[in-house]
């Protein structure tokens, strides 16, 4: 079967609803892509200005932007934060055009994003916006100020645990053990979310220690465990992809192929992921 036509090096753009979503769901695979010579960009569709229990508004937005810029340096990627207030993202025509321009200006081969069924409206509408832009990014007379992509990119949903109306079904599961420390460094670089006593998870999760060191380790371990759970849940997929080495992989990220994007033939999707070719 002929190889799926894509650029070399690959160009990957990831959309998150807030400044931390891309990092939590795809920092591992992003680091692997950049190490292999590919180009990655993370985009937050809102500025995250209400994601804290003590700070808000412009000071928090500036802080969160600085945090993901630190993450970008850790991962070797580019990053952008749009100035849309947290909690207000809507699937408007204006926002659809913005997403389409971002995909086109990056000339993306692969687009990562949220599934449109999620507890948070910003996550849901981020998913809707990318889906709605999927076909239009190749249409030459849609937002004609930005050159269209040569073909509809491969669209991949992030992993999530929501089951209604339909559960996540992985198309590719990626072991990230070799780059896990970079992912944990990113989490540590976002204290507004994962270290402050008044951070979102610092206040939201039960049983968080009150001392600073204990709190930071507790919250970091929370995310380590999420990636352990993905590896354990899809152990059979890891073994199929990595052979016997897959039995020992500790941390993983998973992605589901969206039907609205290009559909690589069997084996070609894996060939686009470092370590799975």
């Amino acid at each position: 079967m002929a190889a799926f036509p894509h650029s070399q090096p690959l160009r990957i753009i990831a959309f998150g609803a807030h400044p931390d979503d891309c990092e939590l769901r795809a920092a591992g695979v992003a680091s692997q892509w950049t190490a292999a010579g590919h180009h990655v960009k993370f985009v937050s569709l809102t500025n995250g200005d209400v994601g804290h229990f003590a700070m808000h508004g412009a000071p928090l937005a500036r802080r969160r932007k600085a945090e993901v810029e630190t993450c970008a340096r850790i991962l070797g990627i580019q990053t952008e934060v749009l100035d849309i207030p947290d909690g207000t993202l809507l699937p408007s025509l204006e926002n659809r055009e913005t997403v389409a321009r971002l995909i086109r200006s990056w000339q993306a081969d692969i687009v990562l994003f949220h599934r449109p069924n999620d507890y948070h409206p910003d996550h849901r509408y981020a998913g809707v916006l990318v889906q709605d832009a999927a076909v239009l990014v190749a249409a030459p007379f849609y937002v004609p100020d930005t050159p269209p992509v040569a073909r509809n990119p491969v669209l991949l949903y992030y992993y999530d645990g929501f089951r209604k109306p339909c559960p996540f079904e992985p198309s590719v599961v990626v072991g990230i053990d070799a780059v896990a420390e970079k992912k944990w460094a990113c989490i540590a670089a976002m204290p507004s979310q994962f270290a402050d006593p008044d951070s979102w998870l610092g206040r939201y999760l039960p049983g968080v220690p009150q001392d600073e060191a204990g709190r930071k380790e507790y919250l970091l371990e929370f995310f380590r465990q999420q990636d352990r759970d993905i590896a354990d849940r899809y152990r059979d997929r890891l073994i199929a992809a990595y052979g016997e080495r897959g039995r020992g992989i500790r941390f993983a990220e998973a992605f589901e192929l969206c039907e609205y994007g290009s559909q690589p033939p069997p084996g070609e999707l894996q060939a686009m992921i470092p370590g799975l070719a």
Side-chain angles (χ1 to χ4, degrees), residues 228-270:
R228 287 191 195 101
D229 289 344
I230 292 173
D232 290 339
R233 182 172 294 117
Y234 303 122
R235 182 65 60 191
D236 58 335
R237 300 294 297 268
L238 289 171
I239 293 170
Y242 294 93
E244 284 301 305
R245 185 162 64 92
R247 298 186 185 277
I249 289 175
R250 298 177 63 203
F251 304 108
E253 294 170 346
F255 306 92
E256 178 181 349
L257 185 65
C258 171
E259 294 176 309
Y260 299 172
S262 289
Q263 303 295 295
E268 289 297 324
L269 177 58
Q270 285 72 16

Side-chain angles (χ1 to χ4, degrees), residues 215-231:
R215 183 174 59 251
K216 288 180 178 179
E217 179 58 28
Y218 180 94
L219 296 175
L220 177 57
E221 180 60 21
F222 176 82
F223 289 105
R224 288 193 191 110
Q225 190 58 51
Q226 285 193 347
D227 286 354
R228 287 191 195 101
D229 289 344
I230 292 173

Side-chain angles (χ1 to χ4, degrees), residues 62-113:
R62 288 194 295 268
R63 185 181 182 195
R64 296 189 71 178
K65 184 174 186 289
E67 289 175 346
V68 294
E69 288 172 345
T70 297
C71 292
R73 290 191 290 272
I74 292 169
L75 300 173
I77 66 171
Q78 294 190 33
T79 193
E80 182 174 351
V81 179
L82 303 190
D83 196 24
I84 297 173
D86 194 348
T88 71
L89 185 66
L90 292 173
S92 65
L93 294 178
E94 179 183 6
N95 288 338
R96 182 193 302 171
E97 290 177 354
T98 296
V99 168
R101 286 189 177 96
L102 285 162
I103 294 171
R104 291 162 74 126
S105 63
W106 195 248
Q107 286 294 296
D109 299 295
I110 300 173
V111 180
L112 310 178
F113 65 113

Side-chain angles (χ1 to χ4, degrees), residues 13-28:
I13 190 167
F15 290 94
H18 311 101
D20 71 352
D21 287 324
C22 298
E23 291 77 10
L24 292 177
R25 294 303 181 193

